[in-house]
């Protein structure tokens, strides 16, 4: 039981890192950041360009230093969400969106849904006693997303990635991600399943963002990246890996939210 609790603590601290387990530098500029990033190309998928290319790479752990327009922040604040059982999952959300805590058994997560039901930022982490594959979970998320958006057309997979990432001794993550389009929508989905040797259980981390295709870049810059940034950094812009409010530079245990 002690091993199980220790594993859960380690993986839940990754909750705030799995979506944005990357570092980036934001450059200030006086022009439209979408225009400044227009020539950007994904380092892992040549079919994706501009803001969406930068975002796709970041979601796959590829560092980018060409996010422009200043620090990503919510410009039009609607409120603050804090998960009722896991306060580390807390962020400011924009006006026009409503957060809904994920009620799935064993889950720590939230669906942030635009009030017109046409866009979503979703993050959830599920402790699962069993075995699942990242690709199977991703396919299930695609099915749920299409149902939420009322999609009946075909799905086009623009880019996809699969990999295995070591986390610590005996702990590794199997990862699957996809950049897809369907019925006038664009979505990015990422699933990581983290296991510890001999435990017989796993942590499933799911990240989903979607919006109408002609609005997707705008939502990335103004909604999705700012929320990811909030979860990864402290208020003064320093990296806070475990989300305990103490920046890594001052934290004696930067990956343990129970110590600092």
């Amino acid at each position: 039981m002690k091993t199980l609790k220790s594993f859960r603590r380690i993986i839940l601290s990754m909750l705030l890192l799995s979506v944005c387990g990357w570092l980036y530098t934001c450059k200030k500029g006086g022009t439209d950041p979408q225009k400044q990033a227009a020539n950007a190309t994904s380092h892992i998928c040549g079919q994706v360009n501009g803001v969406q290319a930068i975002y796709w790479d970041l979601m796959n752990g590829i560092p980018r230093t060409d996010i422009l327009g200043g620090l990503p922040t919510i410009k039009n604040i609607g409120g603050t969400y804090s998960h009722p059982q896991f306060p580390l999952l807390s962020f400011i959300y924009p006006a026009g969106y409503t957060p809904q805590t994920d009620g799935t058994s064993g889950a720590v997560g939230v669906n942030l849904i635009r009030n017109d039901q046409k866009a979503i930022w979703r993050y959830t982490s599920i402790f699962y006693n069993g075995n699942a594959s990242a690709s199977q979970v991703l396919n299930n998320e695609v099915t749920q997303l299409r149902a939420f958006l009322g999609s009946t057309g075909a799905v086009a997979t623009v880019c996809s990635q699969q990999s295995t990432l070591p986390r610590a001794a005996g702990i590794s993550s199997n990862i699957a991600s996809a950049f897809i389009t369907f019925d006038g929508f664009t979505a990015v989905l990422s699933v990581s399943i983290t296991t510890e040797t001999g435990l017989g259980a796993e942590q499933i981390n799911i990240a989903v963002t979607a919006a109408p295709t002609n609005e997707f870049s705008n939502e990335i810059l103004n909604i999705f990246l700012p929320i990811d940034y909030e979860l990864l950094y402290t208020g003064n812009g320093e990296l806070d890996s475990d989300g305990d409010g103490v920046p890594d530079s001052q934290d004696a245990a930067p990956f343990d939210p129970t110590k600092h």
Side-chain angles (χ1 to χ4, degrees), residues 100-174:
Q100 297 179 2
T101 298
D102 189 344
T104 304
S105 177
V108 173
V110 57
N111 298 318
L112 184 67
I113 300 172
R114 203 167 75 181
N115 292 345
D116 65 358
Q117 306 287 298
K118 297 296 185 182
I120 184 172
W121 178 96
R122 164 171 165 78
Y123 189 81
T124 194
S125 182
I126 303 170
F127 191 75
Y128 178 59
N129 286 305
N131 293 295
S133 75
S135 59
Q136 288 174 336
V137 175
L138 189 143
N139 289 337
N140 184 58
E141 287 294 315
V142 171
T143 299
Q144 292 186 56
L145 178 63
R146 294 182 66 203
F148 167 71
L149 294 172
S151 168
T152 58
V155 174
T157 300
V158 180
C159 305
S160 63
Q161 291 284 312
Q162 293 192 34
S163 62
T164 299
L165 179 67
R167 295 290 192 181
I171 300 176
S172 63
S173 294
N174 179 250

Side-chain angles (χ1 to χ4, degrees), residues 149-250:
L149 294 172
S151 168
T152 58
V155 174
T157 300
V158 180
C159 305
S160 63
Q161 291 284 312
Q162 293 192 34
S163 62
T164 299
L165 179 67
R167 295 290 192 181
I171 300 176
S172 63
S173 294
N174 179 250
I175 301 169
S177 61
F179 186 113
I180 62 175
T181 61
F182 54 90
D183 291 335
F185 291 95
T186 297
V188 170
L189 306 95
S190 178
V191 172
S192 67
I193 299 182
T194 302
T195 58
E196 181 180 11
T197 302
L199 185 59
E202 55 194 21
Q203 197 78 20
I204 303 173
N205 290 339
I206 300 166
V208 177
T209 55
T213 296
N214 62 353
E215 302 174 26
F216 194 54
S217 293
N218 184 68
E219 298 299 281
I220 288 171
L221 286 172
N222 294 296
I223 312 299
F224 306 151
L225 276 180
I227 294 175
D228 292 346
Y229 184 88
E230 284 185 65
L231 296 181
L232 184 59
Y233 287 87
T234 65
N236 60 11
E238 291 194 65
L239 181 64
D240 179 17
S241 297
D242 57 14
D244 62 2
V246 179
D248 287 3
S249 61
Q250 302 172 31

Side-chain angles (χ1 to χ4, degrees), residues 20-167:
C20 40
W22 30 258
L23 302 178
Y24 57 83
T25 301
C26 300
K27 302 176 182 179
K28 294 183 178 179
T31 60
D32 183 347
Q34 290 197 45
K35 292 181 179 179
Q36 290 177 296
N39 295 325
T41 302
S42 170
H43 295 168
I44 55 176
C45 181
Q47 296 95 309
V48 181
N49 300 292
V51 170
Q52 296 178 25
I54 296 171
Y55 185 63
W56 170 247
D57 283 1
L58 292 175
M59 289 289 283
N60 282 279
I62 308 298
R64 300 289 301 229
T65 59
D66 46 355
I67 299 177
L68 306 172
L71 297 177
T73 55
I74 299 296
K75 302 296 191 298
N76 188 13
I77 296 174
T80 299
Y81 172 80
S82 182
H83 191 278
Q85 280 79 49
F86 192 66
L88 291 179
L89 180 53
S90 177
F91 55 86
I92 295 170
Y93 62 86
Y97 275 77
T98 301
Q100 297 179 2
T101 298
D102 189 344
T104 304
S105 177
V108 173
V110 57
N111 298 318
L112 184 67
I113 300 172
R114 203 167 75 181
N115 292 345
D116 65 358
Q117 306 287 298
K118 297 296 185 182
I120 184 172
W121 178 96
R122 164 171 165 78
Y123 189 81
T124 194
S125 182
I126 303 170
F127 191 75
Y128 178 59
N129 286 305
N131 293 295
S133 75
S135 59
Q136 288 174 336
V137 175
L138 189 143
N139 289 337
N140 184 58
E141 287 294 315
V142 171
T143 299
Q144 292 186 56
L145 178 63
R146 294 182 66 203
F148 167 71
L149 294 172
S151 168
T152 58
V155 174
T157 300
V158 180
C159 305
S160 63
Q161 291 284 312
Q162 293 192 34
S163 62
T164 299
L165 179 67
R167 295 290 192 181

